[in-house]
Amino acid sequence: MRHDPFDYPRRWEADVLLSDGGTVHLRPIVPDDADKLVALHGRLSERTRYLRYFGAYPRIPKRDLDRFSIVDHHDRVAFAAMLGDDIVAVGRYERLEGGDSAEVAFLVDDAHQGRGLGSILLEHLAAAASERGLRRFVAEVLAENAAMVRVFRDAGYQVSRAFEEGVLHLEFDIDPTEESLAVARAREQAAEARSVHNLLHPTSVAVIGASTDPTKIGYVALTNLLSADFAGTVYPVNPEHRSVRGVRAYPSVVDIPDPVDLAVVAVPAESVESVLDGALEKGVKTLLIVSGGFGEAGPHGLHAELRLVGEARAHGMRVVGPNALGVLNTDSGVRLNATLAPRLPARGRTGFFCQSGALGIAILADAEARGLGLSTFVSAGNRADVSGNDLLQYWESDPNTDLVLLYLESFGNPRKFARLARRLARTKPIVAVKSGRHAVRPQLAATSAEVDESSVQALFEQAGVVRVDSLAQLFDTALVFAHQPLPSGARIGIVGNSSAIGLLAADTARAQGLQLGIDPVDVGPQAGPEEFAAAVGEALSSPDVDALVVVFVPPLAIPGTSYARALREAVVETGRQREKPIVSTFLAAEGVPAELAVTGDDGTPVRGSIPSYPSPERAVNALARTVRYAAWRERPQGSIVRPEGLHPERAQAVVRELLAGQDIESGLPLDDDDALRLLGCYGIEVVPFRNVSSADDAVAAAADLGYPVAVKAVDERLRGRPDLLGVRLDLMSEESVRTSYRDIREVSGSEHMYVQRMAQKGLSCVIGLQDDPSFGTLVSFGLSGVVSTLLGDRAYRSIPVTDVDAATLVREPRTAPLLTGYRGDEPADLAALEDLVLRIAALAEDNPEVRSLALDPVLASPSGAVVANARIVLGPPPSRPDTGPRQLRPITTPDEDSPTS
């Protein structure tokens, strides 16, 4: 069968990040690339040609050029890495003798070797080959070609080697392994972190649109850069002036004589495209667009935004914005304030990502007022390219950041966010304000679940994220994390000079699930600083106290500063300042009062400072969040477990077959046979049943299945209503089957029914999948029944699910004690339920087209868990899956998920 060499799956195109943080565009080769291949060959050194072709190979013969540029995208596949209009690398495979193996080879331009192109081409070729039914790659490599041998060796596959006459013969299966996935994730983290490092550590910044008019954002951007005493070089770009703010200006960015790492774009939206051309020509690494008028302005602006990002990525550049407030880095060796905020905040160890430019200036001012120093700050505006996920990757390896704060309006890629957050939060706390929680996009409305607030909190905590509801709570919590150690438990002590305020603190602590390790200590309003300090020291030294709340009302006779100094000295004397966190309600101050601050060389508060709050409730609530986070960090992390007997390739083939030629925008409910096929790929069996349409059919089905049987209405509403008698159980005879069939037909008005073999007795449970606007695909669990449904008694976990997640999920609903031996009953087999949860989670991870699924009921008993009924709906994935080869967020369609990589 002949295939059109111009016709390839558009999903194979991708923008990818390289190890140095730059970008290239990957796409399959087409015949029109012949001249580009010749040009690539002409740029190669003799050494590179020798290593690739095992000989001199000074030019490409016509026959070889046709073979290289004309491929069928099935048995012969080739990917080109494009940088602008040039091909800088090629990876290809050719199927061997019609089997399931293919020979693979790579060629990389000398100027781009060492950037990770070989490894990323291998990932994309392996994914394409798997899609085409291939299972194995082979390669012939000269033994002296150490770089290419390293590409195969370090990819995480099990590579077998054979050596003959100076040539290595390599073979490996291309199915992803735990090691290959770990390698890809580590490379993804390194590349994304490097791209953000390039953004936050420029050695030169061009301000395009730098203005002499103080009312223009170009004036503000340049002024802020200069005022912060940026450690690098600043280049104003203004074609009408020879200098701006006393700094020499250039007519365009291409006229700047030296390399430009970061370009701040402060021109009207309609002029940005012309500016982009110059930036592309100059080879700028990152574009920061503070101009508005793009995606937030409507469809035309969105189209321009996507086109701009596509062009930038294709030329190796990343984009922050548009409509961004900007970025800053307080490192003394950088001093970058590329924002519209007038002051560079105090230096600290907190990283802050904010989507909203409008809130950014207020956020920075609030951080300064409370004594919270920042390491880095990024306000990404429309997030057309650089996103919060990129920043999480950067902060994970940033030695100058210990705490991460996020102000989020949406998750463009919730699965990836959950994965990154879970990993980062193991070493650095993440505190997030999540706004827009109930603003559901239209494409999610049909299958988004209404998740109650306690479950939302549980989902954030699953990923290790401390969720707060306001910016005030964000800063309250951040002050504890930034300045105090994590508590080792939930037992608190309360010391104060007011019994009323102490009582408020105690009540709030109990409401937050904290324990009073000791009775609240009230030293009385007349106690002096020494007595007050002694009480603090005694409470802090108590083995029954994990954290301390100090509530203080200054007496009239003695200055409050004396008590503050006494408090600080008492903490130091106990030696517990690195072991037990302290929060205070001191002088009604908000933030870190000077009297309670431990300052660094630059006079800013550092670790050991005691945060203060206007009320005891806010102090205790902030402390409670740190207690819950510390407990999460101490819990077993768990691991992603894939049960035995899974066949994801077969499942994906079933899904592709079912969706072929279907209009699935509103969802495609699967019939019983197709649902069973898909579930069977994951080792999930449904109690045998038959579809019948007459009493005789029902009797024959019962005889075939074996008595006892159940007869059920097809209509789910009748099966779930005991008062409507849509189900008849434990039928032991032909006559009872006929009678039941006739009775249900009268109720339902339908001839069609199910006859099903009776399953073991057990508690009815529900395991489901659905989409959530914040978290992507959720696995849910609860007990069946009207009461559970009415009360919303369901527990949720986001994909991916670990073994620990599965274990806690089936024990979390309020009715779960019924499964664990409530009132002396024999406990159900929870391990069997956990196994089902893990199988459903694997199905969702491998097949994002599964928009909703319900196993209802699952009958749980001491002997196991069996599925009696299943419903599945397929549709276009509403959130980008976190699987497959590394790539940046696709930007080709404006109606896709919100732009987060």
Side-chain angles (χ1 to χ4, degrees):
M1 177 181 177
R2 294 183 61 85
H3 296 279
D4 183 350
F6 289 94
D7 184 20
Y8 58 82
R10 301 301 157 184
R11 63 182 175 276
W12 285 2
E13 291 200 40
D15 296 319
V16 298
L17 268 179
L18 305 183
S19 59
D20 60 0
T23 60
V24 295
H25 181 72
L26 288 191
R27 63 164 174 79
I29 276 180
V30 295
D32 290 346
D33 291 324
D35 290 343
K36 294 183 177 67
L37 289 171
V38 171
L40 168 63
H41 189 269
R43 295 193 301 272
L44 299 177
S45 66
E46 291 183 5
R47 176 69 175 168
T48 296
R49 291 175 190 164
Y50 167 73
L51 292 176
R52 169 62 182 90
Y53 300 109
F54 297 20
Y57 207 70
R59 62 183 184 83
I60 305 178
K62 176 69 165 60
R63 182 184 62 184
D64 287 356
L65 183 59
D66 289 344
R67 185 166 63 87
F68 292 159
S69 60
I70 302 174
V71 296
D72 62 12
H73 308 296
H74 285 259
D75 296 335
R76 298 177 61 242
V77 169
F79 284 107
M82 307 295 300
L83 184 59
D85 295 326
D86 295 329
I87 294 178
V88 297
V90 176
R92 63 176 64 248
Y93 74 72
E94 295 195 20
R95 189 187 294 264
L96 298 176
E97 301 174 358
D100 62 357
S101 295
E103 184 172 5
V104 64
F106 303 95
L107 179 65
V108 181
D109 191 328
D110 288 70
H112 297 276
Q113 292 176 10
R115 302 184 69 199
L117 278 160
S119 62
I120 206 158
L121 280 167
L122 177 58
E123 286 182 35
H124 284 260
L125 282 173
S130 294
E131 196 173 316
R132 297 308 193 199
L134 292 166
R135 295 290 173 265
R136 195 168 182 79
F137 274 169
V138 302
E140 304 285 340
V141 183
L142 286 174
E144 59 192 286
N145 192 352
M148 191 51 60
V149 172
R150 193 161 51 246
V151 167
F152 295 112
R153 185 192 66 201
D154 295 346
Y157 298 107
Q158 296 298 315
V159 181
S160 64
R161 305 182 183 193
F163 181 77
E164 184 177 353
E165 297 181 355
V167 176
L168 279 173
H169 177 81
L170 309 174
E171 292 192 19
F172 54 94
D173 291 338
I174 58 175
D175 285 340
T177 64
E178 283 191 22
E179 186 178 355
S180 70
L181 289 172
V183 167
R185 295 278 164 84
R187 288 172 171 167
E188 172 197 61
Q189 189 276 329
E192 294 182 5
R194 184 67 198 182
S195 73
V196 176
H197 182 276
N198 294 343
L199 162 68
L200 294 172
H201 295 77
T203 58
S204 57
V205 178
V207 181
I208 303 175
S211 175
T212 58
D213 183 348
T215 64
K216 299 290 183 63
I217 60 172
Y219 178 93
V220 174
L222 178 63
T223 299
N224 292 345
L225 268 170
L226 298 175
S227 299
D229 190 26
F230 174 54
T233 308
V234 178
Y235 299 102
V237 175
N238 186 317
E240 299 176 357
H241 295 85
R242 296 189 62 183
S243 67
V244 180
R245 297 299 314 270
V247 182
R248 179 183 174 183
Y250 295 85
S252 73
V253 70
V254 295
D255 296 314
I256 296 172
D258 300 312
V260 174
D261 293 334
L262 174 65
V264 179
V265 179
V267 300
E270 58 271 15
S271 303
V272 169
E273 190 166 343
S274 62
V275 165
L276 176 66
D277 294 336
L280 299 179
E281 183 181 344
K282 183 64 181 175
V284 173
K285 289 182 180 178
T286 310
L287 211 61
L288 168 58
I289 304 175
V290 296
S291 312
F294 288 90
E296 78 283 2
H300 293 296
L302 179 59
H303 181 72
E305 179 179 299
L306 296 175
R307 188 172 65 248
L308 182 154
V309 174
E311 281 293 308
R313 286 182 180 175
H315 288 77
M317 187 190 309
R318 298 216 68 182
V319 176
V320 179
N323 196 33
L325 178 69
V327 304
L328 60 81
N329 184 351
T330 63
D331 189 307
S332 59
V334 181
R335 302 187 302 278
L336 172 69
N337 183 7
T339 75
L340 303 182
R343 292 182 58 181
L344 189 68
R347 186 178 178 187
R349 304 189 60 81
T350 299
F352 204 132
F353 175 80
C354 173
Q355 290 179 11
S356 170
L359 278 173
I361 294 176
I363 286 171
L364 292 174
D366 207 356
E368 183 177 20
R370 290 184 181 228
L372 180 67
L374 301 181
S375 59
T376 45
F377 172 88
V378 175
S379 170
N382 295 358
R383 295 174 308 147
D385 182 23
V386 172
S387 73
N389 285 345
D390 292 296
L391 270 297
L392 293 183
Q393 299 276 40
Y394 169 75
W395 283 320
E396 180 180 354
S397 54
D398 178 28
N400 295 321
T401 299
D402 296 331
L403 167 65
V404 171
L405 305 182
L406 305 172
Y407 182 88
L408 302 171
E409 295 167 15
S410 65
F411 299 121
N413 190 342
R415 295 186 183 192
K416 184 173 180 179
F417 175 84
R419 169 171 63 86
L420 300 185
R422 184 181 296 186
R423 190 176 68 208
L424 174 59
R426 284 288 162 184
T427 56
K428 301 179 181 182
I430 304 171
V431 187
V433 179
K434 174 62 179 68
S435 66
R437 168 130 192 100
H438 301 291
V440 181
R441 295 188 305 279
Q443 63 265 44
L444 282 171
T447 55
S448 291
E450 282 291 332
V451 183
D452 64 88
E453 280 301 299
S454 61
S455 297
V456 172
Q457 190 70 24
L459 286 164
F460 268 103
E461 290 178 358
Q462 179 198 359
V465 178
V466 180
R467 183 217 182 189
V468 295
D469 296 321
S470 66
L471 283 172
Q473 292 179 3
L474 182 84
F475 284 114
D476 283 354
T477 310
L479 286 170
V480 187
F481 280 127
H483 298 307
Q484 293 292 312
L486 291 178
S488 59
R491 302 169 305 170
I492 70 164
I494 300 172
V495 175
N497 64 349
S498 165
S499 58
I501 297 180
L503 185 60
L504 281 175
D507 287 345
T508 306
R510 292 189 185 95
Q512 290 293 332
L514 303 179
Q515 306 161 21
L516 295 181
I518 58 175
D519 291 332
V521 177
D522 178 13
V523 298
Q526 302 304 319
E530 294 77 13
E531 187 179 350
F532 181 70
V536 169
E538 184 178 349
L540 203 56
S541 300
S542 169
D544 298 320
V545 170
D546 302 311
L548 186 64
V549 180
V550 178
V551 292
F552 176 79
V553 177
L556 296 177
I558 306 174
T561 53
S562 301
Y563 289 86
R565 283 193 296 270
L567 168 60
R568 190 175 62 192
E569 291 166 3
V571 172
V572 172
E573 286 175 8
T574 64
R576 303 286 183 178
Q577 68 269 27
R578 298 182 182 275
E579 300 174 12
K580 300 181 180 183
I582 305 171
V583 295
S584 68
T585 300
F586 210 89
L587 307 175
E590 186 171 20
V592 179
E595 297 82 7
L596 296 179
V598 176
T599 56
D601 295 338
D602 58 357
T604 59
V606 296
R607 186 162 289 275
S609 300
I610 300 174
S612 180
Y613 301 87
S615 69
E617 294 93 339
R618 282 176 59 176
V620 173
N621 285 334
L623 181 62
R625 295 184 191 103
T626 65
V627 168
R628 287 192 289 270
Y629 167 76
W632 175 86
R633 243 168 74 160
E634 290 299 315
R635 288 200 294 267
Q637 187 170 356
S639 56
I640 306 297
V641 175
R642 292 180 67 86
E644 295 182 358
L646 307 186
H647 301 283
E649 300 88 356
R650 193 191 310 164
Q652 288 159 7
V654 169
V655 170
R656 284 196 296 270
E657 172 197 328
L658 294 174
L659 295 182
Q662 297 279 350
D663 180 12
I664 56 170
E665 200 60 40
S666 59
L668 175 68
L670 299 190
D671 62 30
D672 296 323
D673 291 339
D674 290 333
L676 291 179
R677 287 169 61 202
L678 185 55
L679 291 173
C681 296
Y682 288 85
I684 300 170
E685 297 182 353
V686 177
V687 177
F689 66 93
R690 300 286 186 273
N691 282 298
V692 300
S693 55
S694 70
D696 290 340
D697 289 347
V699 169
D704 184 34
L705 293 168
Y707 290 98
V709 297
V711 177
K712 304 179 180 181
V714 171
D715 191 330
E716 296 172 13
R717 295 170 296 179
L718 297 177
R719 295 205 303 270
R721 289 282 300 276
D723 55 318
L724 296 180
L725 302 176
V727 178
R728 304 298 170 89
L729 305 175
D730 291 313
L731 306 179
M732 299 294 296
S733 65
E734 176 181 329
E735 182 58 33
S736 62
V737 170
R738 289 185 181 277
T739 301
S740 297
Y741 178 89
R742 183 178 62 251
D743 292 346
I744 293 176
R745 182 180 60 192
E746 291 178 3
V747 173
S748 66
S750 172
E751 301 281 344
H752 296 284
M753 293 175 212
Y754 294 121
V755 176
Q756 188 169 37
R757 182 188 301 163
M758 281 298 299
Q760 62 194 22
K761 302 295 183 183
L763 284 167
S764 293
C765 306
V766 182
I767 298 174
L769 291 174
Q770 60 266 320
D771 293 309
D772 179 78
S774 292
F775 300 97
T777 303
L778 304 182
V779 182
S780 64
F781 176 80
L783 271 67
S784 300
V786 175
V787 174
S788 291
T789 303
L790 180 65
L791 296 178
D793 189 20
R794 294 282 187 274
Y796 299 89
R797 294 293 183 273
S798 61
I799 299 295
V801 172
T802 68
D803 50 357
V804 172
D805 292 332
T808 55
L809 176 70
V810 300
R811 292 166 174 82
E812 191 169 293
R814 294 188 293 277
T815 47
L818 294 172
L819 297 168
T820 57
Y822 183 68
R823 290 185 176 176
D825 292 337
E826 190 174 357
D829 185 353
L830 294 183
L833 287 173
E834 293 168 25
D835 181 72
L836 265 179
V837 167
L838 291 171
R839 291 178 186 276
I840 289 298
L843 185 153
E845 184 75 1
D846 298 337
N847 304 277
E849 298 86 357
V850 175
R851 293 288 298 275
S852 67
L853 177 151
L855 305 182
D856 182 15
V858 175
L859 299 172
S861 69
S863 59
V866 296
V867 180
N869 185 53
R871 304 185 304 277
I872 301 176
V873 176
L874 302 184
S879 58
R880 225 187 110 205
D882 187 31
T883 55
R886 288 174 283 156
Q887 60 179 300
L888 294 172
R889 179 195 60 86
I891 56 172
T892 51
T893 52
D895 58 345
E896 283 182 346
D897 211 11
S898 65
T900 305
S901 66

